[in-house]
Amino acid sequence: MKYSPSGQLFYQKYIHGRKPVVIRNGAKYWPAMKKWKHESYLRKAFGTSMFTIEYRKSFKNEFPVRKALRLGQFLDIYKTEAVYLDSQFPETMMIKDILLPSVLHCNEVVSQITNLNLLFSSGGTSSAFHQDGYENMIAIISGEKTFILINSSYADSLYADDFQVVPGVLPINLEKVDLKKFSKFANVPYYEVTLKEGMCAVRLKFRL
């Protein structure tokens, strides 16, 4: 059924209930949906804005090489080099092109927003398997992204204490799980969700 729940119902069912949820068309009417698809717009409006770039596209259980580049410089190389923009937004009017879904417009939610990040690549990227210590919302402007969500109560079966990079970044490569080395992982329940263009997901510290 297509509907938009009231803020009260959304809070009771998803936020208070600690349940992750996908909001279809949650970003459909953002200015970014039209504007950011044109590199000419990004270069002209934000080409000098600085972002942090990782010089890899696939997970490796080691610190990536990271470098600050202007957005214009990143646009020059992202289609031909293994680079991934994964960075907090700088002080820029770029943030004006994104909006919160109406169901999240309550003071309790808005007051808790501490970071806004931009993820940008030519595709084929994979992030580290990690534990978030906070709640967040993901929105897809272009392309698609698949998430694996697991309750943190299974930390022991996720080998969370065997980190090699930093706490919270797990040693398991989700693209090719070594079940001989990480045998307990085989019995962990999980959610898998693929977000497509215009969709949002609210990820909470939830219970299965």
Side-chain angles (χ1 to χ4, degrees), residues 21-22 31 72 74 97 129 156 161 184:
V21 60
V22 172
F74 171 75
D97 288 341
F129 186 19
D156 180 63
D161 292 333
K184 292 185 289 184

Side-chain angles (χ1 to χ4, degrees), residues 139-205:
I140 305 300
I141 304 299
S142 180
E144 64 181 42
K145 189 174 181 68
T146 298
F147 295 88
I148 302 295
L149 303 180
I150 299 174
N151 192 294
S152 60
S153 63
Y154 295 95
D156 180 63
S157 296
L158 301 177
Y159 302 85
D161 292 333
D162 296 341
F163 62 88
Q164 298 178 24
V165 181
V166 293
V169 174
L170 310 185
I172 301 173
N173 181 355
L174 287 180
E175 292 188 341
K176 188 177 180 181
V177 179
D178 185 345
L179 290 178
K180 290 185 177 180
K181 185 176 181 179
F182 305 110
S183 58
K184 292 185 289 184
F185 183 73
N187 298 316
V188 174
Y190 62 90
Y191 288 102
E192 180 176 342
V193 58
T194 297
L195 298 183
K196 298 185 178 182
E197 186 175 302
M199 298 171 65
C200 300
V202 180
R203 300 193 299 177
L204 305 167
K205 289 180 275 187

Side-chain angles (χ1 to χ4, degrees), residues 9-10 19 31 36 41 76 90 108 130 132 158 173 193:
L9 178 60
F10 189 87
K19 184 178 180 181
W36 291 9
Y41 169 79
D76 289 337
E108 181 172 337
H130 63 280
D132 280 335
L158 301 177
N173 181 355
V193 58

